Structure formats: structure tokens, C-alpha cells
Amino acid sequence: QLVYPHDFRLTEKEKTSICYLSFPDSYSGGLGDTQFSFRLRQAGSARASPFQDDGSYNREAPLPLQREAAHYFGYVYFRQVKDSSMRRGYFQKSLVLVSRLPYVNLFQCLLQLIAPEYFDKLEPCLEAVCNEIDQWPPPVPGQTLNLPVMGVVIQVRIPSRVDKAGSSPVKQCNQENLLPAPLVLPSVHELDLFRCFQPVLIHIQMLWELMLLGEPMVVMAPSPTMSSEMVLALTSCLAPLRYCCDFRPYFTIHDSEFKEYTTRTQAPPNILVGVTNPFFIKTLQHWPHILRVGEPRMAGDLPKQVKVKKLAKLKTLDTKPGIYTSYKTFLHKDKTLIKRLLKGIQRKRPSEVQSALLRRHLLELTQSFIIPLEHYMASLMPLQRAITPWKNPPQIRPFCQEDFMKSLEHAGPQLTCVLKGDWLGLYRRFFKSPNFDGWFRQRHREMTQKLEALHLEAICEADIVAWMKDKSEVEIVDLVLKLREKLVRARCQHLPVKEETLQRVSLYIDTIIGSLPEDLQAVLHHP
């Protein structure tokens, strides 16, 4: 019905997809308001972002919170109430916020404020809200933002890549001079993991492995809210590692990728997909891992846990909750974690404390797995003394899986993790996954940039006049061109180099040009 701001361009394909993804896909008898989220592949050519961002946000934000280039997130507030004046007897409407940022908590909180007002006052309400949002500061990693909207100030801190992993969020500041007192969000994106994972707590180890290996997996849930929360919770299990596969928190049979995912002529893609329509049980039963969750149920004081079942049992439409897979975990179960969580339930420990326990456990598990890889990768970096000013920087040595495996004997995950099991088998399988590929490319890029930066510093320390003494004009001109290219690259790629180093290189270039004959000077000053 309405897109606001009006000048935001969506293709027809995107509009259709957003419409289908904004409503429950299967019969939902529930009345009232529900919230959920989806993720959508951008259709058509790349579009410039309305935000002036030179890439600094993505360089400073934690990897899982980077702005997406090829996908949109949709945050939905859906209302269904009885209304005899409507043809179907119901008022059904959704307000959707579309963003490239995965700030699920912030945007769902914003919708809770805007949507009820919008359903009542329609477009004038959106216009007023958008005018306020236009005044918000851009999200800068590491900063606490005060975001005024509809008479409320939302206060939230944007996480930064340099935050210490696992530390509690920095205490919010500047509260004393804000009236009314702000609505403080503890996190822009972290879900209540304990609540999301309640039916699968005893299988958390298996789910972590499946995420780490980027295995194709379907989450079947009774509602888009449960499906999208479970998918987002699963992708967040790997922090601080980025989940590099495709994921769809909520997916419908009308989706343009439906055929691509349900075809049986090729293996299922590396994707995590959340669905609610029972029809998917039939179309996706060839997938290797299916997590079916029901409405949350308690068994006495404890949340009812689903069982691991064979895929062959998945034939019926009234499939019972369970993890349908033939996957055998590489690591043994961590019984101490489960005991601590159960004790927390019996003592009625608050959900956020249980979530912190769970998040800490998953973080330590991921770090134990990734630290040996980081150490090995660092050993492939050339020594600093091998970087000389007048030669190209040396290459990073190739990653050899067998050498890495040998290094595990004395520097493996057993140093930081008590869990026993087949760690070597887990690494071998990880090497074939999109998550290893994504991690390796990111690290390699960062190391290459570090080498470039060290090379520029080496050039600054060198005695350029002594070097020029016995060089021909051709060699000197060649050096000028190479240094210029390096400067441009350093600025474009925002290499980790001090500004004074870049200025000194610039000064060097001017000094060298000044020593050349005038005709060459003119050419080099105005190339």
C-alpha cells in the first residue's frame, strides 16, 4: 500500500517478496500483534545506499553486524484482529522496516513504538517518525546513541570490533541529563538465547557443530516469530566467527528461491532456512538436517526437550518435534553446561542470566576452535626484517592443512577446552565449509593490508637520496609511479597506516620529482 520514504526504490520482484514475507504463511488462528523478521536477496542491480558511508562502519563493526551489500533484512509487526466490516471478517496488516543492518532488537523495539500508532493514524504518523529518524546520528561502532522517536529516547550502544569478546556491554552513560529517562536496550542485536533454545538445550553442541560446518538445515516452527528467532539464534552461536552461509529466518512457498531450494536434482545448498508451512515437510524431506520445534511446553519445571530422530521418520504431515538427522557429533556433550542450566531453571534464575551462561559457553567453544587456526595463520606472515623498501613486499605463505593438523599436537583446542572428541575430524570437515572459506579470505585480506602498511613504513625509514645516486631516470620515474599507486591504494583501502606516514611518502615523491630534469617534472606533476 505504501513505501516510506517515497523515493526508496524497490524492484517489483522485491515488493512481491516483501509482501509474501510480511504475513504468516500458514493458518494462524492467533489474534493480536506478532513480530518476526526475514532476510531477502536483493533483486536487480546494486543501488547506492542513502547513507554516506566510506566503508568505515564495516571496518569497525564486529563481522556478524556488518552492513549487508546483497541482502535486506525485514522487521515485521503484524496485526490480526476481528473486524466485521472487512470482507474476510478480520483486519490484517503489517508494518515492515527494511534495513541492511541486522539490529533485530533495536528495530523490533522501534516497531513496537511506531506500529500501533501507524495502524491508528496511517501515513501522517510515518511522515513524523521518518522526520525524527532522519535526524538520528549514523551508527558508529563503539558509541552510545540516544535516538529520539515519538516522545521516547531509545538509548543503545553500537558494538565495535575492538570490544572484548564475552564482556558485558559497557554501562550506558549520559542518563542523568536525559528527561524523560531513556528506554535503554542492553543490545542492538542479541536475542534471549536461553528462551530461543529452550526445546533444544541438550543438543546445543550438535547444533553448534552443524552451524560451524555450514550444513544445510531447515527449522520448522509453528509461527514466523519462532522460526525467525530460532534461525537468528543459531547463526549467532558462532560469534565472534561470522556465519558465512545464506540464511532465511522466515521463508514461504511464494519465495522466488523456492524452486532452487526444493529441487532434488542437486544437493541442498549450504543454507539455514526457517519455515512454518507444513507443506515444506514434504518438499524438503531430502534435506540432511531438519529441526522441528513445537509450541513451548514444560515437563514439570523443565522445558520439554526434543529428541534426535532418523530422517526416515519424517514422512507424516503431523511430524512430532525433534531433530531429524543422521549426523554424529565430533565432540562429546558438555554435561556440566546442561547441569548448570537445569540448576538455573530450578532456582528460577532470570532468563538473561541463563542466556549469558549459554553465550559464554558458545563463545569459549568457538574461541577454542578458532585460536589454533589464528595462531597457524599468523605463522604464515613473513618476518618484518624480510620487508625491504625497494622490493615488493614478500608473499604470505600458503595455508597447508596437513601442517596445521601437525601443529595441533602441541597447540590444539585441548589447551583451552575440556571437551573431548574428534577435534581433527571436525577441522577436516570445517575446511570444506563456506565458513572456513569466509574466515580465511577475511584473514588473508587483513594480513595483505598489514604487509602493505609495513612496506610503506619501511619506505619512510629509508634513505631515498642515497638510493637515487646510481639510478637511471627510468628507474626513478618508475619508483615515483609505484609510490603514487601505493599511496592511492593506502587511502582507498584505508590501510592501517598512520596519516603522518602517508604524508611523508607524499613528501618523498615531491623530493624525488624535484631532483629530475624540468621536462620530466612537468610530466610527473601533471600526468
Side-chain angles (χ1 to χ4, degrees), residues 378-507:
S379 75
L380 304 178
M381 186 82 165
L383 294 172
Q384 198 153 345
R385 64 168 179 265
I387 301 167
T388 56
W390 316 121
K391 282 185 186 160
N392 282 333
Q395 297 287 303
I396 297 162
R397 289 196 301 283
F399 189 105
C400 170
Q401 292 182 13
E402 288 315 310
D403 286 353
F404 168 71
M405 291 305 215
K406 283 186 198 131
S407 77
L408 292 176
E409 287 166 25
H410 51 87
Q414 70 279 4
L415 298 182
T416 53
C417 188
V418 293
L419 283 190
K420 299 280 184 280
D422 181 9
W423 285 95
L424 295 184
L426 188 60
Y427 280 114
R428 283 190 203 284
R429 187 90 170 255
F430 177 67
F431 289 143
K432 299 186 180 110
S433 81
N435 289 326
F436 170 70
D437 189 55
W439 171 82
F440 177 76
R441 282 165 190 260
Q442 171 79 21
R443 278 287 168 271
H444 200 275
R445 192 181 317 117
E446 286 168 3
M447 285 165 70
T448 307
Q449 291 183 342
K450 178 75 180 152
L451 272 178
E452 278 279 330
L454 289 170
H455 192 224
L456 276 169
E457 280 164 22
I459 290 167
C460 275
E461 300 303 316
D463 183 347
I464 208 137
V465 180
W467 178 85
M468 282 163 53
K469 273 188 184 138
D470 57 346
K471 299 294 181 285
S472 67
E473 278 177 9
V474 173
E475 287 173 296
I476 292 171
V477 169
D478 187 48
L479 176 69
V480 168
L481 298 176
K482 277 188 176 151
L483 287 181
R484 264 203 187 138
E485 192 189 327
K486 274 189 169 299
L487 259 189
V488 169
R489 202 163 53 233
R491 292 200 189 281
C492 288
Q493 294 180 0
H494 300 274
L495 294 186
V497 188
K498 295 191 192 88
E499 182 55 36
E500 63 188 272
T501 303
L502 296 179
Q503 284 170 357
R504 278 176 71 184
V505 173
S506 197
L507 205 63

Side-chain angles (χ1 to χ4, degrees), residues 235-252:
T235 60
S236 75
C237 285
L238 298 184
L241 204 59
R242 182 184 193 150
Y243 179 74
C244 296
C245 306
D246 198 356
F247 63 97
R248 299 300 158 91
Y250 173 52
F251 186 75
T252 76

Side-chain angles (χ1 to χ4, degrees), residues 312-330:
K313 296 245 174 91
L314 196 72
K315 298 270 190 293
T316 55
L317 275 177
D318 58 343
T319 299
K320 291 189 167 51
I323 301 177
Y324 293 83
T325 180
S326 55
Y327 180 80
K328 296 280 177 282
T329 56
F330 286 92

Side-chain angles (χ1 to χ4, degrees), residues 25-286:
D25 183 27
S26 49
Y27 170 71
S28 111
L31 293 177
D33 296 353
T34 47
Q35 288 183 262
F36 56 93
S37 32
F38 61 80
R39 183 167 171 270
L40 171 77
R41 193 184 289 173
Q42 183 178 297
S45 57
R47 270 149 281 175
S49 163
F51 305 102
Q52 300 308 309
D53 179 24
D54 61 359
S56 59
Y57 172 80
N58 273 8
R59 282 195 304 282
E60 293 164 23
L63 295 177
L65 286 188
Q66 287 183 333
R67 185 178 274 136
E68 295 240 5
H71 291 86
Y72 291 120
F73 288 95
Y75 303 95
V76 182
Y77 191 106
F78 168 66
R79 173 168 287 183
Q80 174 167 290
V81 286
K82 279 194 167 137
D83 183 344
S84 54
S85 68
M86 297 285 188
R87 194 159 55 91
R88 290 180 163 189
Y90 286 100
F91 167 91
Q92 289 175 311
K93 203 169 214 177
S94 284
L95 181 64
V96 186
L97 189 152
V98 176
S99 172
R100 293 187 187 278
L101 293 166
Y103 294 170
V104 59
N105 286 356
L106 172 61
F107 293 140
Q108 291 292 18
C109 166
L110 185 59
L111 281 172
Q112 282 167 17
L113 297 170
I114 303 168
E117 195 78 2
Y118 165 70
F119 292 136
D120 189 31
K121 301 197 172 103
L122 302 179
E123 190 168 352
C125 157
L126 285 193
E127 189 171 356
V129 163
C130 284
N131 286 337
E132 286 189 286
I133 292 174
D134 274 347
Q135 305 304 311
W136 286 4
V140 177
Q143 286 194 4
T144 296
L145 306 182
N146 293 313
L147 310 171
V149 63
M150 295 179 64
V152 177
V153 175
I154 302 173
Q155 190 174 81
V156 71
R157 183 178 178 277
I158 307 297
S160 158
R161 203 177 289 193
V162 295
D163 293 346
K164 191 165 173 289
S167 61
S168 55
V170 176
K171 287 277 174 280
Q172 310 287 357
C173 51
N174 316 340
Q175 284 190 16
E176 60 285 349
N177 53 6
L178 281 176
L179 289 168
L183 171 61
V184 179
L185 296 187
S187 162
V188 274
H189 68 295
E190 285 181 350
L191 295 166
D192 182 341
L193 272 197
F194 178 70
R195 185 175 54 75
C196 296
F197 285 148
Q198 271 206 342
V200 293
L201 288 172
I202 60 171
H203 306 298
I204 214 77
Q205 196 85 26
M206 174 192 271
L207 294 169
W208 176 83
E209 284 188 25
L210 291 172
M211 291 301 102
L212 181 74
L213 302 174
E215 285 285 310
M217 182 162 162
V218 188
V219 172
M220 294 182 173
S223 68
T225 308
M226 284 184 74
S227 125
S228 57
E229 285 195 337
M230 181 64 88
V231 168
L232 292 175
L234 286 167
T235 60
S236 75
C237 285
L238 298 184
L241 204 59
R242 182 184 193 150
Y243 179 74
C244 296
C245 306
D246 198 356
F247 63 97
R248 299 300 158 91
Y250 173 52
F251 186 75
T252 76
I253 55 176
H254 305 286
D255 205 287
S256 53
E257 279 103 52
F258 178 73
K259 279 197 177 70
E260 186 184 320
Y261 296 160
T262 52
T263 176
R264 297 184 180 225
T265 54
Q266 58 200 54
N270 296 90
I271 175 173
L272 172 61
V273 57
V275 300
T276 59
N277 194 325
F279 179 68
F280 278 108
I281 293 182
K282 200 165 156 203
T283 54
L284 296 178
Q285 59 179 282
H286 62 295

